[in-house]
Amino acid sequence: MDGRDLVRSIKAVGSVGTAQGLRTVRAAWRRRRVDALGLPPRGAERARVPGVLQEVRPGPGGGVLRFSRSELRVTVTVHGAVFWGWDGASAEPSYALVGRCPEPDPRAVLEPDKDGGWRVVAERVTVVVSRHGAVEVRTPGGVTLRRDLPPRWWEPVGGGAARWMQRSEVAADARFFGLGGRASGPRLRDGTYRLWNTDPGRAFGPGEDPLYITMPVQLVVSDAATHLVFHDSPWDGTVTLREGREGAGSGHDRAGTSDLRMEGGPLRCWVMTGTPARVLLVWASLTGAAALPPSWALGHHHAVRGFGGEQEVRHVVSGHGHRHLPLDAVHLGSDHYDGHRVFTVDQEAFPRLPQLAEDLRRDGVRLVSVVEPAVGAAPGGAVYDGGTAVEAFVRDASGRLVRGVARPGEAVFPDFTHARVREWWGGLYEEGAAQGFAGFWHDMNEPTSFAAFGESTLPRSARHALEGRGGDHREAHNVYALCMARAGYEAALARAPEERPFLLSRSGWAGMQRYGGTWSGDIATGWPGLRASLSLVMGLGLCGVPHSGPDVGGSEGTPSPELYLRWFQMAAYLPLFRTHTSPRAGRREPWEFGPEVLEHARVALVERRRLLPYFMTLAHLARRTGAPYVRPLWWSAPEDRALRDCEDAFLLGDALLVAPVLTPGTGRRAVQLPRGRWYDTVTERVHEGAAQVFVDAPPARIPVLARAGGVVPVRGDDGGLELEVWAPAPGRTGGGLVVADAGDGWDEPEIERYVTRWEDGKVIVEREHEDGTVAAARPVRVRGLGGRSAQM
């Protein structure tokens, strides 16, 4: 902790009350003192580089190259991913990977290269290692996608974790994406980005960094190919990016650069190349399939925080029902606990919680409970006493319990990096399930507290099990929330193995999609916050986390009716669609903004309900292929530079293009279209891409366009699944995938493949089978037959 953190803590005195504020300052000083005693002094350091290549030992999928001062292991796996690790680092153990490391590709060959270097040649990639330790990743045609210069380490003379730096070069035309949840994205401009999960302690906008989810995952898009690189170290670090510059025909291109600096951990990384779809498929095979949400989780959620108890919940639900506004879930904040003590329900505010949950479920509404890791440090509390009995809580280097300041007051924190602690914590969800909760959302789990906004509530010297390896919070901090999510998800599976769990986590790390989704946290109310919320969803999707969304309207204050409506309309097309009410945000139900907003919000909600089969299809495809629901416009055409630089619209699956209104007073906006024909889904007007077109954006709706030939599964008037087919362009064909979800269990429904084409002046829709095509057995409605070309 530095002086800036102390200033934040002192400011908290005025923001959380005198008694709580004094505890905050004391906790901040205590954390600083504990680190001073518990962390080894850095002292003098010795710089090191790999040196000169001396020996090569071929092995499965590649081999080991020994330099004078280091050793490099390179392996190409069976699905074409490349792993390399310095100083003996292997792919395991890893919090990011699911299961065991993939098998090496037996066809990959290690062979000599020019100038004393060596190369590993595989079907999809070539890896070239120079005699001084530079590593290049090339396409099969020999085009360099990424060049890592020889790394550099700074090792304490007295021993300890070494800092390291890896500088990389990419093509001059390349663009950077990823690094977790970034408000300034989705395209990452020149600048430095920190890799330390952080609660900013206030509403954030596009300029805030870091935020709740940071990942050392870069997705790099260039003309030659797309590649994803993952440096598998959860330690604190920074990434400094600089986009390249092309020589405008002079031939003097300036490469793009990435400088990664880590405070510790192994120097090991994974690289996968190809199209965006293939890259995300391989990434998902490494880090795990995305959790499949129950069908109700893809509907409309509303969070109720700080406005009373059972009667408030019933008021919100009945308000939606009376106004014919679909509602699928209500989230309860920490105020539904007794004194904010986790898992302990306030019996005065919710005297009949199981009955409330049952009544709501009959109306199609589920209850979701917030869960925070902070446990009130007061003997006599069931959770505190139970955790003490199993030695669950984090301790410092001298063996004393680490205490922070959180909602329940002075608090302790479970060590989720211990399997025994995860099992104990998971057992606590039984009580929540018995109360009728159908899902849980994890908050404040960076971890953070009122004593540490901008930092971790736990001192860096705090000890963690780290699955038996042992270590401190410098290594455990970024994976803390990931392990907490694992505990909750595995507990839900054990309790009801026939049901799909629903879990959101504000923080996480690479691989968090295995356990559920996330939301944007405390995003600022304002037009910049609206734009930032879209950046977060798109960026997380490109890091393998497909299920996310913002709180509509921002986290605090009252948005204007126009801002609220435009945010609401955009969120209706995002995976997580959640509105909320809280003392900081005020009343946020749609009817609070006037009759016009209410009517337009109803239209958006009804359309979301109609598209639920499409969202469910996208959820199944995300689980099977790693493709996010929300995709950048360049997803299928990364070579299109105009699309690569477009950040104000997105693809929802393959079939729909959504162009949200991100600025006030907009009634018409420009949209950059990918190749092909596109229909306005309301007017059915035709637009031809690739081109920039202008479309109407009246208050009643945001522009949504459908790809010609696309097949969109929708909910019919009778509640059954129908196929909405958009006519192919003349002389062209189309198609789409449909997954008819059978319920909230684990049955794997078949992927239905449909093709569309013209025949004798009619649009024909057929389903593909192994032995040919047959007429579609589902109801079909063809649209776009009377579309007119747009006039510019």
Side-chain angles (χ1 to χ4, degrees):
M1 187 180 76
D2 58 21
R4 289 175 296 179
D5 304 317
L6 285 176
V7 170
R8 293 189 188 100
S9 301
I10 293 172
K11 286 182 178 179
V13 173
S15 62
V16 300
T18 303
Q20 186 88 317
L22 291 176
R23 285 198 296 267
T24 293
V25 174
R26 284 199 296 268
W29 278 107
R30 185 166 60 233
R31 201 169 67 253
R32 187 181 188 187
R33 185 173 64 250
V34 166
D35 276 347
L37 296 174
L39 289 176
R42 195 79 204 176
E45 294 180 320
R46 178 173 45 242
R48 173 170 63 90
V49 294
V52 179
L53 182 62
Q54 295 183 337
E55 181 185 356
V56 174
R57 299 193 300 273
V64 176
L65 297 91
R66 190 170 64 82
F67 296 81
S68 57
R69 303 183 193 91
S70 188
E71 185 177 273
L72 174 67
R73 178 183 301 275
V74 180
T75 304
V76 179
T77 68
V78 289
H79 50 30
V82 180
F83 170 82
W84 67 76
W86 288 94
D87 289 347
S90 62
E92 301 174 42
S94 168
Y95 278 106
L97 301 190
V98 60
R100 299 301 302 262
C101 178
E103 292 295 319
D105 184 352
R107 299 168 299 175
V109 177
L110 178 65
E111 61 185 28
D113 195 48
K114 61 183 179 181
D115 299 327
W118 286 71
R119 64 185 180 187
V120 179
V121 181
E123 179 182 6
R124 296 182 179 273
V125 68
T126 298
V127 183
V128 179
V129 182
S130 78
R131 63 190 297 266
H132 293 289
V135 182
E136 289 188 18
V137 177
R138 298 177 181 173
T139 68
V143 178
T144 298
L145 299 179
R146 189 178 193 92
R147 182 173 188 266
D148 281 9
L149 302 181
R152 182 179 295 268
W153 294 267
W154 288 269
E155 300 168 328
V157 173
R163 298 184 295 120
W164 53 267
M165 183 192 79
Q166 178 66 73
R167 171 166 290 180
S168 307
E169 296 177 347
V170 297
D173 67 282
R175 297 290 181 262
F176 295 100
F177 301 85
L179 296 183
R182 305 286 168 168
S184 59
R187 173 182 161 194
L188 301 175
R189 264 64 175 192
D190 294 0
T192 298
Y193 302 85
R194 190 178 178 193
L195 298 169
W196 186 255
N197 291 350
T198 303
D199 175 8
R202 60 188 179 279
F204 67 87
E208 189 73 39
D209 186 87
L211 295 174
Y212 314 100
I213 302 173
T214 66
M215 299 181 194
V217 178
Q218 296 178 30
L219 189 79
V220 185
V221 182
S222 64
D223 287 352
T226 297
H227 74 272
L228 182 148
V229 58
F230 168 54
H231 289 88
D232 193 354
S233 170
W235 284 63
D236 193 359
T238 61
V239 180
T240 301
L241 301 177
R242 188 180 71 166
E243 291 183 346
R245 182 177 300 167
E246 294 181 284
S250 67
H252 297 289
D253 290 352
R254 188 191 73 188
T257 60
S258 166
D259 287 357
L260 173 63
R261 297 176 181 267
M262 283 289 191
E263 292 301 310
L267 203 176
R268 57 184 180 179
C269 89
W270 289 89
V271 178
M272 46 225 71
T273 67
T275 65
R278 183 183 182 278
V279 163
L280 267 294
L281 174 63
V282 176
W283 177 238
S285 72
L286 283 174
T287 59
L292 187 64
S295 57
W296 59 264
L298 294 172
H300 174 216
H301 301 231
H302 186 78
V304 179
R305 289 176 276 192
F307 274 98
E310 177 179 333
Q311 293 309 310
E312 168 67 17
V313 174
R314 292 188 184 276
H315 168 73
V316 168
V317 174
S318 64
H320 282 80
H322 291 158
R323 294 170 176 87
H324 306 290
L325 302 173
L327 181 65
D328 298 274
V330 172
H331 296 214
L332 300 185
S334 64
D335 54 292
H336 81 279
Y337 291 128
D338 184 7
H340 298 285
R341 292 182 297 169
V342 66
F343 298 115
T344 308
V345 174
D346 184 342
Q347 293 299 322
E348 291 188 9
F350 294 92
R352 299 177 300 277
L353 186 56
Q355 185 61 51
L356 171 65
E358 180 59 29
D359 292 346
L360 297 187
R361 187 181 284 262
R362 282 198 296 267
D363 292 333
V365 179
R366 268 70 169 186
L367 273 184
V368 177
S369 174
V370 72
V371 176
E372 298 176 0
V375 175
V383 179
Y384 177 78
D385 289 349
T388 301
V390 299
E391 298 182 349
F393 302 120
V394 174
R395 297 178 178 270
D396 64 21
S398 62
R400 292 172 297 192
L401 283 178
V402 174
R403 298 171 184 263
V405 180
R407 295 192 210 273
E410 191 168 61
V412 291
F413 296 82
D415 179 10
F416 295 115
T417 70
H418 197 304
R420 184 187 70 244
V421 176
R422 290 195 296 271
E423 183 178 3
W424 163 75
W425 184 263
L428 300 175
Y429 291 75
E430 287 286 346
E431 176 62 22
Q435 295 286 347
F437 289 113
F440 298 91
W441 53 295
H442 293 173
D443 201 0
M444 303 285 285
N445 60 338
E446 289 70 33
T448 192
S449 77
F450 301 131
F453 287 137
E455 268 294 317
S456 171
T457 188
L458 301 174
R460 293 184 174 230
S461 59
R463 304 300 299 172
H464 289 269
L466 292 168
E467 317 309 324
R469 293 179 286 111
D472 59 40
H473 196 65
R474 294 175 297 174
E475 182 177 358
H477 174 82
N478 280 340
V479 298
Y480 186 87
L482 177 75
C483 295
M484 181 183 178
R486 177 181 177 182
Y489 185 83
E490 291 180 347
L493 276 183
R495 177 186 59 81
E498 72 285 355
E499 297 180 5
R500 304 199 292 252
F502 174 69
L503 181 70
L504 297 177
S505 180
R506 188 172 79 170
S507 184
W509 202 61
M512 65 180 291
Q513 74 277 356
R514 301 191 294 262
Y515 311 120
T518 184
W519 83 105
S520 62
D522 294 337
I523 200 163
T525 296
W527 293 95
L530 170 59
R531 186 177 291 269
S533 67
L534 176 58
S535 296
L536 285 164
V537 173
M538 293 178 69
L540 286 167
L542 296 176
C543 290
V545 184
H547 192 94
S548 66
D551 279 331
V552 171
S555 66
E556 60 184 30
T558 303
S560 68
E562 182 189 11
L563 173 61
Y564 178 83
L565 177 61
R566 292 311 197 184
W567 209 316
F568 194 99
Q569 290 169 331
M570 182 186 77
Y573 293 95
L574 299 180
L576 176 66
F577 182 17
R578 189 170 89 163
T579 52
H580 73 129
T581 295
S582 74
R584 290 196 305 165
R587 304 298 317 199
R588 290 282 186 85
E589 293 83 9
W591 55 85
E592 297 290 340
F593 294 88
E596 183 179 4
V597 169
L598 173 61
E599 182 56 35
H600 297 333
R602 183 183 295 112
V603 171
L605 278 172
V606 170
E607 179 65 5
R608 172 65 174 231
R609 178 60 58 92
R610 193 180 76 92
L611 287 173
L612 282 180
Y614 187 50
F615 276 94
M616 200 69 249
T617 290
L618 296 179
H620 278 280
L621 295 178
R623 180 172 179 80
R624 300 189 192 193
T625 70
Y629 309 31
V630 171
R631 307 167 187 177
L633 296 187
W634 48 259
W635 176 258
S636 298
E639 72 283 354
D640 188 328
R641 298 190 181 188
L643 297 179
R644 204 185 294 170
D645 295 338
C646 182
E647 302 176 285
D648 62 356
F650 60 90
L651 296 174
L652 182 61
D654 284 333
L656 298 180
L657 187 156
V658 182
V661 173
L662 303 176
T663 55
T666 300
R668 187 171 171 83
R669 60 151 293 176
V671 180
Q672 188 71 39
L673 293 180
R675 292 190 302 269
R677 170 171 289 189
W678 296 84
Y679 296 95
D680 186 307
T681 56
V682 173
T683 67
E684 300 192 9
R685 196 170 190 179
V686 174
H687 301 275
E688 298 290 345
Q692 184 182 81
V693 300
F694 288 88
V695 295
D696 291 334
R701 63 185 179 90
I702 58 174
V704 179
L705 297 99
R707 189 190 301 271
V711 178
V712 181
V714 299
R715 185 174 181 173
D717 294 338
D718 62 354
L721 191 151
E722 296 182 356
L723 304 181
E724 185 171 80
V725 176
W726 292 89
R732 306 298 297 271
T733 61
L737 305 178
V738 176
V739 182
D741 193 51
D744 291 340
W746 293 103
D747 291 340
E748 290 282 352
E750 182 182 359
I751 296 180
E752 302 174 13
R753 301 176 184 274
Y754 292 92
V755 293
T756 61
R757 58 186 174 84
W758 285 97
E759 184 177 298
D760 297 330
K762 296 181 180 179
V763 174
I764 305 298
V765 182
E766 296 177 316
R767 182 177 173 184
E768 287 187 335
H769 282 277
E770 291 183 0
D771 53 353
T773 60
V774 297
R778 300 188 181 278
V780 174
R781 183 162 67 103
V782 179
R783 300 187 62 188
L785 296 177
R788 297 181 295 112
S789 296
Q791 300 297 315
M792 299 299 292

